[in-house]
């Protein structure tokens, strides 16, 4: 199927209904049916269960429990770097923020203000900064970890549509990451200043969750929501889990100007693994 036809189908599909249905199926404890679904999924997408903390497929009570499975201890050692990759996945795009524009794919850009839900003051902190868009495919480990130490400052839920975020859709749907449902997490690093991690929703992504809040979007509404944590001491260390997707998606990270020099081996579409070298602070 051509990219153009795939994108057209994205516009025509009843994305909200499909996502609601998929969320119910994924959360159901269906016994043998759940086990068969997981077996089918692992075979179709080539999921490596040898890396899972619990490799026994029949022991998972629901598809969500399987999909958000933890890795076994020591599976992802952290690189000796200032910033480590926060997920298993593939690089969509990364690099410098052009004034306030982020590259989505060739011919498509969106603004930092659009990404964070219209907060111009927050977006202004990352003018001429750096960004990284990382795509999590169905076979990947779907927990999100910290690229560096950070203290949580704010979380913003931004409602939106639910296009797929696979590479074909990224190439064909303008403003994809700034129009999909998303959760914007704002951190303050003691060494590198503010940075943002955005969890992007997508078709059949049942929900997104963080370790401090739990599921952020149990009931989808058209209203944005915001939480502030300045009076709390929520500090997460480099490599610690910060959230997870219930079915797959993309994360977008924002860093201030002169904060990160990305790994020289990084390139669009290249696979990455949690804990690998993402970059270092410029000398």
């Amino acid at each position: 199927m051509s990219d153009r036809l795939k994108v057209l189908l994205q516009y025509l599909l009843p994305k909200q209904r499909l996502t609601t249905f998929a969320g119910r199926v994924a959360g159901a404890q269906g016994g043998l049916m759940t086990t068969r679904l997981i077996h089918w999924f692992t075979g179709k997408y080539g999921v490596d269960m040898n890396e899972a903390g619990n490799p026994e497929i029949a022991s998972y009570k629901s598809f969500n429990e399987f999909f958000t499975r933890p890795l076994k201890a020591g599976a992802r050692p952290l690189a000796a770097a200032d910033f480590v990759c926060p997920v298993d996945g593939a690089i969509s795009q990364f690099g410098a923020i052009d004034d306030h524009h982020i590259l989505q794919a060739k011919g498509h850009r969106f603004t930092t203000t659009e990404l964070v839900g219209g907060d111009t003051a927050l977006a202004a902190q990352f003018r001429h900064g750096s960004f990284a868009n990382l795509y999590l495919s169905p076979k990947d480990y779907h927990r999100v970890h910290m690229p560096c130490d950070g203290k949580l400052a704010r979380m913003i839920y931004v409602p939106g549509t639910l296009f797929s975020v696979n590479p074909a859709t990224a190439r064909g749907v303008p403003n994809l990451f700034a129009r999909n449902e998303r959760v914007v997490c704002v951190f303050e690093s003691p060494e590198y200043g503010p940075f943002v991690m955005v969890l992007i929703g997508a078709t059949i992504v049942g929900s997104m969750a963080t370790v401090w809040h739990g599921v952020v979007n149990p009931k989808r509404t058209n209203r944005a929501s915001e939480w502030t944590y300045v009076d709390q001491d929520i500090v997460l260390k480099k490599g610690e889990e910060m959230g997870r997707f219930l079915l797959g998606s993309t994360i977008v990270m924002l860093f201030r100007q002169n904060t990160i020099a990305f790994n020289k081996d990084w390139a669009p579409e290249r696979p990455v693994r949690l804990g690998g070298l993402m970059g270092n602070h410029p000398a």
Side-chain angles (χ1 to χ4, degrees), residues 83 97 126 129-130 147 194-195 253-257 259-260 278:
F83 300 93
I97 298 171
F126 304 99
S130 301
F195 65 96
M253 291 174 286
L254 305 179
F255 300 97
R256 290 196 306 179
Q257 188 176 20
T259 295
I260 183 171
M278 183 166 73

Side-chain angles (χ1 to χ4, degrees), residues 66-127:
F66 151 75
F67 198 79
T68 60
R69 64 197 177 278
L71 294 169
K72 66 182 179 183
R76 297 291 186 275
L78 300 185
D82 297 328
F83 300 93
V84 297
C85 186
V87 295
D88 281 2
I91 301 164
S92 178
Q93 295 289 340
F94 72 102
I97 298 171
D98 180 8
D99 190 9
H100 61 286
H101 288 90
I102 298 172
L103 179 64
Q104 174 180 300
K106 184 177 180 180
H108 293 303
R109 294 177 182 269
F110 59 95
T111 70
T112 53
T113 302
E114 292 170 329
L115 178 69
V116 301
D119 189 327
T120 55
L122 174 60
Q125 297 181 65
F126 304 99
R127 187 180 181 191

Side-chain angles (χ1 to χ4, degrees), residues 3-280:
D3 281 2
R4 186 174 181 180
L5 182 54
K6 290 177 182 178
V7 170
L8 176 60
L9 288 174
Q10 287 290 312
Y11 282 98
L12 298 176
L13 286 172
K15 295 181 283 295
Q16 289 280 0
R17 293 178 186 176
L18 282 173
T19 300
T20 299
F21 175 75
R24 289 173 180 170
V25 171
Q29 297 185 14
L32 182 59
M33 292 298 293
T34 294
T35 301
R36 287 176 175 172
L37 175 60
I38 296 171
H39 269 295
W40 170 83
F41 186 92
T42 56
K44 177 176 177 59
Y45 293 105
V47 177
D48 184 0
M49 292 301 291
N50 291 321
E51 294 186 329
N54 175 13
E56 298 299 325
I57 288 176
S59 68
Y60 291 100
K61 295 179 180 179
S62 70
F63 187 84
N64 273 341
E65 185 178 292
F66 151 75
F67 198 79
T68 60
R69 64 197 177 278
L71 294 169
K72 66 182 179 183
R76 297 291 186 275
L78 300 185
D82 297 328
F83 300 93
V84 297
C85 186
V87 295
D88 281 2
I91 301 164
S92 178
Q93 295 289 340
F94 72 102
I97 298 171
D98 180 8
D99 190 9
H100 61 286
H101 288 90
I102 298 172
L103 179 64
Q104 174 180 300
K106 184 177 180 180
H108 293 303
R109 294 177 182 269
F110 59 95
T111 70
T112 53
T113 302
E114 292 170 329
L115 178 69
V116 301
D119 189 327
T120 55
L122 174 60
Q125 297 181 65
F126 304 99
R127 187 180 181 191
H128 299 300
S130 301
F131 76 95
N133 307 334
L134 304 179
Y135 168 66
L136 288 72
S137 72
K139 71 178 178 61
D140 290 319
Y141 167 69
H142 274 80
R143 299 192 182 194
V144 182
H145 294 246
M146 296 291 288
C148 61
D149 295 355
K151 180 177 180 180
L152 182 65
R154 298 167 63 194
M155 181 172 72
I156 307 163
Y157 167 73
V158 185
T161 187
L162 291 167
F163 283 96
S164 169
V165 292
N166 62 37
T169 312
R171 290 191 295 268
V173 176
N175 282 20
L176 175 62
F177 301 143
R179 69 196 298 177
N180 268 18
E181 177 183 56
R182 53 206 180 277
V183 176
V184 181
C185 303
V186 184
F187 292 94
E188 183 74 28
S189 164
E191 296 178 280
Y192 313 117
F195 65 96
V196 168
M197 300 181 70
V198 185
L199 282 63
I200 310 291
T203 310
I204 75 168
V205 175
S207 54
M208 294 166 280
T210 64
V211 296
W212 59 85
H213 183 94
V215 175
V216 179
N217 55 340
K219 293 184 179 180
R220 288 181 166 89
T221 70
N222 292 321
R223 298 190 304 272
S225 300
E226 181 173 346
W227 297 262
T228 58
Y229 302 94
V230 291
D231 59 342
Q232 301 180 45
D233 193 28
I234 301 176
V235 177
L236 299 175
K237 296 295 185 181
K238 179 168 58 180
E240 281 192 75
E241 181 187 347
M242 62 78 63
R244 62 187 69 173
F245 291 107
L246 305 184
L247 302 184
S249 194
T250 284
I251 68 162
V252 178
M253 291 174 286
L254 305 179
F255 300 97
R256 290 196 306 179
Q257 188 176 20
N258 298 322
T259 295
I260 183 171
F262 285 108
N263 185 341
K264 293 181 180 179
D265 293 330
W266 268 33
E269 301 184 9
R270 178 173 178 168
V272 291
R273 284 164 66 92
L274 167 66
L277 168 62
M278 183 166 73
N280 283 301

